């Protein structure tokens, strides 16, 4: 039986683990490394879907937890699936809901069976299990479904992380068993094990054994220092097979994207570009711009002279600042457009650099202009 | 000297006062009767300007009071004018700020000189006079500038309305004297006089004497019964010359647009379509749709089967309802798009009906489907 999603390796960087590939999915090919915009509630915030498409996005991420609670996965199934419901005809990756329910803190309780939690919307009680997470994602019809896992907090002691990781592995087996239609949707596994190398190895060996089309490195970028994140990521990737896609979840600042790619990651996602846009922050080739700053009051130049996005082609910083101060929706619309374009364009440049054997040089060039973080 | 804006009468309805014309402006021709979308703070809320243009808008309205306070008219002058600042290359009409400062209630004081008022943003004190209103609108560079007037409340006694109307006439003389560059921008006068026919006649005679390119019927749709509004509008229009444009301010529900056109009005504007959109309300050919209604929860049909707007081409009521409930910006974006398209399309159909000598028949057809209000 053929997997719905397959990874094709095109080229490897000679000096780093960076690699150039293609993810083949039922909704089109995705050039990797890729940054995936997040559309939590079946919409990339403040954007029309074709605007996301026009800037080059080939895949977006959506959230199982949110869609399960509202409008409900059965409603989306009746609508003909998430692609049709939200008017997005390219690939979609859905998370498992695990990260969100674990983030609920006191509102959730973990057992071997799964997680009992209370809705953040109306306080109603729900149970999320590996089987339920698969059932929901089957109803949504995403191209890539993520396994139901526990993302252990940082810091956490060895015993806790070991128990949690082993339960996550058992949950993955249940996810795999629950997911039957592998020609329509693909299930990705998630490696856990915190910052403990032997636990990461144990996790990797177990999930790779299950022969899934892709694997995420979970439990990183959850509060640990950047250096530690990179150190752990570096050995984690070595535990994963070359012929499968590798996904680092929740990473979206330019520096983290560079680190992820440099250490062999193919896919990243983050709410960062649209979230900071709503707070008046823009990512530019010369670093962050805080549009609220009074220095931009009469600055009639564009956000980023090197950017050719819709926002930079048509609007000045003075206008964008006015929109933000006046609390106009167009402010979030234009800054979200710019920030998403910035990261998608950046990933395009990174792919080109890998193809042309100059990824390390490109990274240095970028940092010299953008500054450290 | 040639006026910047001129009105050309093309055809008159045989059974009503409805008429088909063209307003020639420095930023293109406007087919009339026209509905003008409102972009209060230099943006039509939740819309990109070219989306407004694509649905057929040839002119938008913007507000002097708001732009004077934020970001300031001098800043917009430095930006190259309002058209360039907000990326809108078609015609713009600006009001005078009068209506807004009079709406401030206790925060303003009227004298012969003008109106002293406190900003709704920071409480700072300002003085708006006929000369200042013209100076601000000159800086904005709108194609059509409105005279600084007092819109008397309803109800108001005869003596109050008489004094107010006569002051408005004196203010119009001062506006006209202050506005010199008539080849670049045109000043429209505003008729007042409340619901008193002799005062309307006196006002009309005085402002028509000043030979301006267009006139607004002011002080209507301010709380009086609809029948009274129509009665007053009917005789007001007869006091105005046929060869000049006629503008009814602040009117935007479908029934009021029909009444306005039937009684000889060429131009209307209103925040209604975008404001109700943000509250989940859509205008459709079969009446209003409240997208919050639970009956639409699993309604996978579009808002309006007769509409070919972007929203109706791509999204279901179930999706729109989900977006509204989830408080997603795309909700306001899509409903604003639909409502603006609805009114602009409706005006297009009204123009066609006048051309084809079937305006009264078209009005009846529309009402039969849409229902009374």
């Amino acid at each position: 039986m053929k997997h719905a999603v397959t990874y094709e390796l095109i080229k490897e960087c000679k000096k780093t683990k960076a690699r150039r590939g293609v993810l083949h999915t039922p909704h089109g090919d995705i050039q990797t490394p890729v940054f995936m915009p997040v559309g939590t509630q079946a919409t990339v915030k403040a954007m029309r879907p074709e605007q996301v498409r026009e800037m080059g996005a080939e895949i977006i991420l959506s959230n199982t937890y949110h869609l399960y609670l509202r409008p409900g996965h059965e409603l989306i199934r009746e609508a003909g699936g998430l692609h049709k419901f939200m008017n997005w005809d390219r690939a979609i990756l859905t998370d498992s809901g695990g990260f969100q329910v674990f983030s609920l803190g006191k509102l959730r309780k973990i057992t071997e069976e799964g997680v009992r939690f209370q809705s953040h919307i109306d306080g109603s009680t729900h149970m999320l299990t590996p089987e339920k997470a698969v059932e929901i994602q089957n109803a949504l019809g995403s191209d890539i479904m993520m396994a139901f896992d526990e993302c252990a907090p940082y810091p956490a002691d060895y015993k806790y992380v070991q128990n949690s990781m082993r339960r996550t592995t058992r949950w993955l087996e249940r996810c795999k068993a629950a997911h039957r239609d592998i020609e329509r949707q693909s299930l990705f596994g998630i490696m856990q094990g915190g910052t403990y190398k032997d636990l990461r190895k144990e996790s990797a060996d177990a999930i790779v054994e299950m022969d899934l089309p892709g694997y995420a490195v979970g439990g990183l970028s959850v509060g640990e220092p950047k250096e530690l994140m990179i150190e752990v990521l570096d050995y984690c990737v070595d535990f994963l097979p070359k012929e499968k896609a590798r996904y680092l979840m929740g990473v979206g600042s330019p520096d983290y994207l560079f680190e992820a790619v440099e250490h062999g990651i193919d896919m990243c996602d983050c709410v960062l570009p649209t979230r900071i846009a709503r707070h008046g922050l823009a990512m530019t080739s010369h670093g962050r711009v805080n549009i609220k700053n009074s220095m931009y009051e009469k600055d009639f130049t564009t956000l980023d002279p090197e950017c050719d996005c819709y926002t930079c082609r048509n609007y000045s910083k003075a206008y964008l600042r006015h929109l933000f101060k006046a609390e106009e929706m167009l402010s979030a619309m234009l800054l979200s457009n710019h920030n998403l374009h910035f990261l998608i364009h950046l990933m395009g440049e990174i792919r080109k650099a890998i193809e042309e054997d100059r990824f390390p040089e490109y990274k240095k060039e970028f940092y010299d202009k953008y500054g450290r973080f």
Side-chain angles (χ1 to χ4, degrees), chain A residues 109-247:
Chain A
K109 190 175 179 301
I110 309 172
T111 61
E112 182 63 25
E113 173 63 10
V115 184
R116 187 168 296 283
F117 66 96
Q118 282 183 274
S119 158
H120 74 284
I121 299 170
D122 61 7
S124 55
T125 302
H126 302 263
M127 181 82 184
L128 203 53
T129 62
E131 292 77 13
K132 186 78 189 176
V134 167
E135 180 202 327
I136 296 167
Q137 293 180 84
N138 281 160
L140 299 177
S142 48
D143 300 86
I144 300 173
M145 307 165 35
M146 297 306 298
F148 187 66
D149 68 325
E150 182 189 357
C151 175
Y154 175 87
D157 66 47
Y158 186 88
K159 201 66 205 166
Y160 182 91
V161 175
Q162 185 180 47
N163 283 334
S164 164
M165 177 272 288
R166 288 178 177 170
R167 188 172 48 227
T168 283
T169 302
R170 293 190 296 275
W171 283 355
L172 178 57
E173 281 163 3
R174 287 167 55 191
C175 282
K176 196 184 170 191
H179 174 53
R180 288 180 191 88
D181 190 2
I182 70 167
E183 290 184 63
R184 194 173 72 98
Q185 298 176 273
S186 278
L187 175 70
F188 277 25
I190 303 178
M191 186 206 298
Q192 290 292 350
T195 53
Y196 305 103
K197 193 170 180 176
D198 63 319
L199 296 183
R200 286 286 181 177
K201 179 80 171 77
E202 181 185 328
S203 173
D205 288 348
I207 66 176
V208 168
E209 178 72 26
M210 294 186 219
D211 191 25
L212 299 166
Y215 296 100
V217 180
L220 284 183
S221 194
V222 291
E224 76 283 0
K226 187 176 171 185
E227 295 67 32
L228 182 58
M229 194 280 282
I230 293 170
E231 181 194 322
V232 176
L233 178 62
D234 191 59
Y235 60 67
C236 281
V237 166
D238 291 339
F239 299 151
L240 292 173
K242 277 205 169 182
E243 66 279 13
K244 301 291 178 73
R246 302 160 183 165
Y247 168 26

Side-chain angles (χ1 to χ4, degrees), chain A residues 98-116:
Chain A
F99 186 77
Q100 273 79 21
V101 297
F102 285 103
S103 305
L104 291 172
K106 283 180 188 160
L107 296 174
R108 51 87 176 158
K109 190 175 179 301
I110 309 172
T111 61
E112 182 63 25
E113 173 63 10
V115 184
R116 187 168 296 283

Side-chain angles (χ1 to χ4, degrees), chain A residues 331-372:
Chain A
S331 170
M333 291 160 63
L334 295 180
L335 290 177
S336 296
N337 190 96
H338 171 81
N339 285 347
L340 285 172
H341 180 276
F342 181 81
L343 290 185
I344 287 168
H345 176 77
L346 176 63
M347 273 301 203
E349 294 296 303
I350 286 175
R351 288 195 298 271
K352 206 156 67 173
I354 299 170
E355 287 167 13
E356 296 169 357
D357 281 323
R358 52 173 185 82
F359 172 74
E361 293 79 5
Y362 177 65
K363 181 184 174 190
K364 187 176 175 306
E365 262 170 50
F366 180 86
Y367 272 62
D368 286 348
K369 266 200 295 189
Y370 196 98
R372 293 276 156 178

Side-chain angles (χ1 to χ4, degrees), chain A residues 15-31:
Chain A
K15 295 170 189 146
T16 71
K17 293 181 190 165
R19 57 192 213 156
R20 177 74 182 84
V22 182
L23 258 184
H24 303 286
T25 84
H27 287 88
D29 287 352
I30 297 148
Q31 305 302 317

